Amino acid sequence: MKRCLTIDHGNSAVKVHFFIDGKVCALRRVDALSKSVIEELRADFEPCGVMCCSVADNMEAILAALNGWNGRVSALHRNLPLPLTIDYASPATLGYDRIAAAVGAMVVAPRCNCLVVDAGTAMTLDYLTADGRFKGGNIAPGITLRLKALADRCALLPLVGSDGETPIIGYDTSTAIRAGAVIGATLEVEGIARRLNVDKVIVTGGDAALIAANADIDVAVEPHLVAFGLNRIFEYNEYL
């Protein structure tokens, strides 16, 4: 029985998934990792190994918190073997979360040309081919960031939340701002998917459900996409 803990340290929270034989059995969301949190995770799940990634440039601190863990501890880094091929021209600048999400797409939609969307603080749209090649992608402001930027930089515009009525064309200032951010981001996903003629659009991240609800194309929401990728990378390296 394979028991793996994945740790995804994002911009706003730390997401911890516990896998048994490739299936998500538990999920924890914490503000930060500490020795006490690590000990609690160890006691609750008793994993055989841990796989980590971070976009917060704090991997050394994470590994220090995991020091003394009884089992294999791995971190997603530039030289780690991957079950996909990266064709990105600047792989050293490619975010680990984007790599993990692409590998996760290979797990949930094998042998498909995919648009992999992570709709978080930043919205990334990455192209993965059916033969497992990461071709590249786009980085854009996420929905919440778009809304905050308008309020911060435009003196007469209020801060509007993403929840609420979202018409295609706004009929007042609030709906115009919300539609500009939500519908704008959604059409960005639709447009890239259509131009690439992908087989599958997979969306993860905090605004994934919002994108899917407003999309005019078939969109699969997978909240555990990065974790699936981390678990797959862990398994891939186990047998090398």
Side-chain angles (χ1 to χ4, degrees):
M1 184 180 295
K2 299 176 184 176
R3 301 163 65 89
C4 177
L5 203 68
T6 65
I7 298 175
D8 171 22
H9 198 301
N11 289 304
S12 57
V14 182
K15 296 172 283 291
V16 180
H17 289 72
F18 178 54
F19 285 84
I20 296 180
D21 292 337
K23 295 181 179 179
V24 177
C25 296
L27 166 64
R28 293 274 178 88
R29 188 181 181 96
V30 297
D31 293 330
L33 285 177
S34 63
K35 282 288 188 181
S36 60
V37 170
I38 293 297
E39 288 304 319
E40 183 180 333
L41 294 171
R42 188 205 306 266
D44 288 348
F45 300 119
E46 299 180 348
C48 300
V50 182
M51 184 72 200
C52 319
C53 84
S54 174
V55 298
D57 194 27
N58 61 347
M59 185 55 73
E60 288 187 8
I62 294 173
L63 294 176
L66 288 164
N67 186 38
W69 187 284
N70 185 24
R72 186 161 64 96
V73 175
S74 298
L76 187 51
H77 56 80
R78 302 299 171 198
N79 297 320
L80 191 70
L82 299 170
L84 54 65
T85 301
I86 294 177
D87 290 339
Y88 209 53
S90 57
T93 67
L94 182 58
Y96 294 126
D97 54 338
R98 294 172 67 188
I99 295 172
V103 176
M106 296 173 66
V107 174
V108 301
R111 295 176 296 281
C112 287
N113 292 314
C114 294
L115 182 65
V116 184
V117 181
D118 192 339
T121 303
M123 186 173 75
T124 57
L125 305 93
D126 293 318
Y127 181 40
L128 178 72
T129 63
D131 59 350
R133 304 192 76 90
F134 183 98
K135 304 302 291 185
N138 299 344
I139 304 174
I143 291 173
T144 299
L145 195 56
R146 297 175 194 219
L147 294 169
K148 286 183 177 179
L150 286 172
D152 289 345
R153 304 297 294 179
C154 302
L156 298 181
L157 293 183
L159 178 61
V160 174
S162 58
D163 293 332
E165 190 172 359
T166 310
I168 296 295
I169 296 295
Y171 54 79
D172 60 13
T173 300
S174 293
T175 56
I177 292 172
R178 185 179 300 114
V182 176
I183 301 300
T186 304
L187 289 174
E188 192 172 336
V189 173
E190 291 182 12
I192 297 296
R194 288 190 170 113
R195 289 200 178 193
L196 292 174
N197 192 29
V198 296
D199 304 316
K200 195 87 172 177
V201 179
I202 307 172
V203 187
T204 193
D207 288 324
L210 201 55
I211 295 287
N214 288 280
D216 194 35
I217 60 174
D218 185 26
V219 171
V221 175
E222 179 45 73
H224 309 305
L225 192 64
V226 171
F228 275 122
L230 291 174
N231 184 69
R232 176 70 185 93
I233 293 168
F234 185 87
E235 292 178 341
Y236 181 77
N237 280 268
E238 185 177 9
Y239 297 108
L240 293 180

